[in-house]
Amino acid sequence: MGTSNDSVGAASVDLDQVRALLVSYHDNASISRAKVLPARALAGAASHGITISNSVGFLFSVDDHLNETAALDPIVGDLRGIPDLSAAAMLDPATGLAWAPADLHTLEGTVHPTCTRSALRRVAADATAAGLDFLIGFELEFTLFRGTPAEPELAAQGPGYSTRATLDVEAWMLDVLDALDTAGVPVAQFHPEFGPAQYELALAPRDPLRAVDDLALARIVILRTAAAHDLLVSFSPVPLVGGATNGCHVHLSATRDGQALLVDPATRLGVTWEGGHLIAGILDRLEEGVALLGGSVLSFVRLSPRSWAGADICWGPANREAAIRYVTGQTVDVLAHASQANLEVKPMDAAANPYLAVAAVLAAAVDGVRRSARLPEPVEIDPGRLTDEQRAARGIRRLPADLAAALDLLDGSAFYREVFGDVLLDAYVAVRRHEADAYGGRPPQNVADAVRWRY
C-alpha cells in the first residue's frame, strides 16, 4: 500500500495564528459534532477541555433521538472534550480557522469509556505490542449536488470515471486539493466514480489514528469547499435509491520487523503465513462486526450483490464482490509488490464511526494472528455466480440482510465486548437500535431523503 505519509503530516499549526478552533468528534451515529473555540480559550481547553453532555457525546441517533443505557443517563451527566492540539490542522489561513479532533474524558480527568478515538488508540497500541505495524488508507466516496437540500440536482451526469465528469467540477476539485494540502492531509488520488456526480477521494496511508483523523478532516474540507462553490455533498451510503452507492473502503497493510506480511511469492496464496492468519481473522469477525462498519439502515441497502460493496464473506485477489479484496500491486517488481500489496475491506461506509470501524478491523486482524486463524481459499470469481452448494462448500456466507440482524450479532459478540467494553458497546447498540426500529420498515427512498444531509 506504499509507505506511510506521516512526514507530510497534519500541518503544524502556529497557535498564535489561530483565530478560532473547530473542535469535532464522531459520535456513535457517525455524525461529526463540533464546537468552535475563540483563540483566547485554547490554552484552557487544551488542558481542561470543553463541556459536552452525555447526550451529545454518545447517545444521539442519526435523527437526534435521545437514547439511554443501563450505565449512561442521557439527562444527567457531563464529560470533557479535550482537543488534541498535536493533531491540529489549519483549515483556512486567511480567516485563521483551525481544526482539532477531541478525546472524551470524564470530569475526573480519565478517558471516558465511550471515547471512540481513544478506543482506536488502545487497539493500535495493542497491535504494536504484538509486534504488528499497520498502515491505513481510505477511499471515500460521496455524491455531489447543486440546488438546495430540499430540491437537489446531481452536479454532473458522467460518464463514470470520465474526463467530462472531472471537468464539470474542475474548479471545485482543484480547490479541494489545495485545501487538503493546506490542512496537511496526504491525497493519493481524486477522481469521478461510477455513478453520476459520484466522486472518490483516496487518502494516502498513515498510522491508524492519524489516518482516521485525516478522514474526519477531509470530510470537513470537502463540505467547506463545496459550500464555497454552491455545491452540496452527501456521504450517505445511499444518497439516491437506484443510483450508485457510497462506500468508505478501508485499506490496510501490515509488517513485522519491517517485513510485509501480505506478500510472499514463495507461498501458494502469495501471502506470508502470518498474513494469512491476519486475513482470516478479519473474515471470521465480519459477520458479528459489520454493524460497526456500516451502522445505518441504508448501509444494508448498499450491501447487496453485484454492487461492488462486498456483501459476501470471502476474500480474493482483485475481487470487487468479495468483502475483502486482496490488492497485489505490481507483482512484476518485487519491491513494488511488497510496498503496494494491501487489503481492501469493502463493507465500510461513511455512516460508520470511522474510529470504531478501523479499531474493529485491526482487533480482528491481531486476533487472527494470535490464534493462527485458518485462511480459506481465495475466491477468484463473482461469488454470486456460485450455487448454494458451492458457496457452502467454500464457507462463503452473505453478510446480515439488515441493521437489526447485524446489531443482534454485535450485541451478543463476546469478542467485541472484550475489545470495546460494555459501556461503549451498549451505547453504540442503543443509538443504532433506534435507527433500525425507526427506519428499518420504511421504503429506502424515504430513508434516503431523511438522512441524505446528516453525515
Side-chain angles (χ1 to χ4, degrees), residues 43 59 130 184 201 215 223 243 259 261 332 335 350 357 361 389 413 426 431 441:
L59 290 173
L201 179 70
L215 178 66
L223 289 170
Q259 179 188 6
L261 299 185
V332 69
L335 291 178
V361 171
E389 292 76 14
S413 171
D426 286 346
V431 164

Side-chain angles (χ1 to χ4, degrees), residues 96-117:
L97 179 63
W99 168 87
D103 293 315
L104 303 184
H105 284 233
T106 68
L107 299 183
E108 292 73 34
T110 59
V111 172
H112 197 278
T114 61
C115 181
T116 60
R117 191 168 182 265

Side-chain angles (χ1 to χ4, degrees), residues 306-320:
R306 307 292 173 89
S307 63
W308 292 10
D312 286 297
I313 302 175
C314 59
W315 77 288
N319 191 336
R320 288 172 173 80

Side-chain angles (χ1 to χ4, degrees), residues 1 136-139 247-253 262 278-279 281-283 285-286 289-290 292-294 302-303 308-311 314-315 319-320 322-327 342-349 357-358 360-362 364-365 399 416:
M1 190 167 67
I136 299 292
F138 291 98
E139 291 175 344
C248 182
H249 308 146
V250 58
H251 289 252
L252 75 150
S253 61
L262 297 178
L278 182 156
I279 299 170
I282 300 172
L283 285 172
R285 302 296 182 186
L286 272 178
V290 70
L292 294 166
L293 302 183
R302 172 181 170 265
L303 285 177
W308 292 10
C314 59
W315 77 288
N319 191 336
R320 288 172 173 80
I324 298 180
R325 179 171 74 105
Y326 176 48
V327 183
N342 68 90
L343 304 177
E344 179 187 30
V345 181
K346 297 189 70 66
M348 181 177 168
D349 62 53
V358 172
V361 171
L362 293 186
L399 285 167
Y416 282 118

Side-chain angles (χ1 to χ4, degrees), residues 291 402-412 428-429 432-434 436:
D402 56 52
L403 178 59
L407 287 171
D408 288 343
L409 293 171
L410 178 63
D411 197 16
Y428 183 86
V429 170
R432 299 300 190 164
R433 187 77 73 185
H434 166 75

Side-chain angles (χ1 to χ4, degrees), residues 113 115-116 118-124 126 285 288 292 355-367 370 410 413-425:
C115 181
T116 60
S118 297
L120 174 56
R121 186 185 288 112
R122 184 178 64 251
V123 169
D126 184 54
R285 302 296 182 186
E288 65 194 279
L292 294 166
Y355 296 96
L356 285 182
V358 172
V361 171
L362 293 186
V366 173
D367 176 66
R370 283 178 171 153
L410 178 63
S413 171
F415 176 74
Y416 282 118
R417 286 197 173 275
E418 178 68 22
V419 170
F420 295 119
D422 289 337
V423 175
L424 192 159
L425 200 67

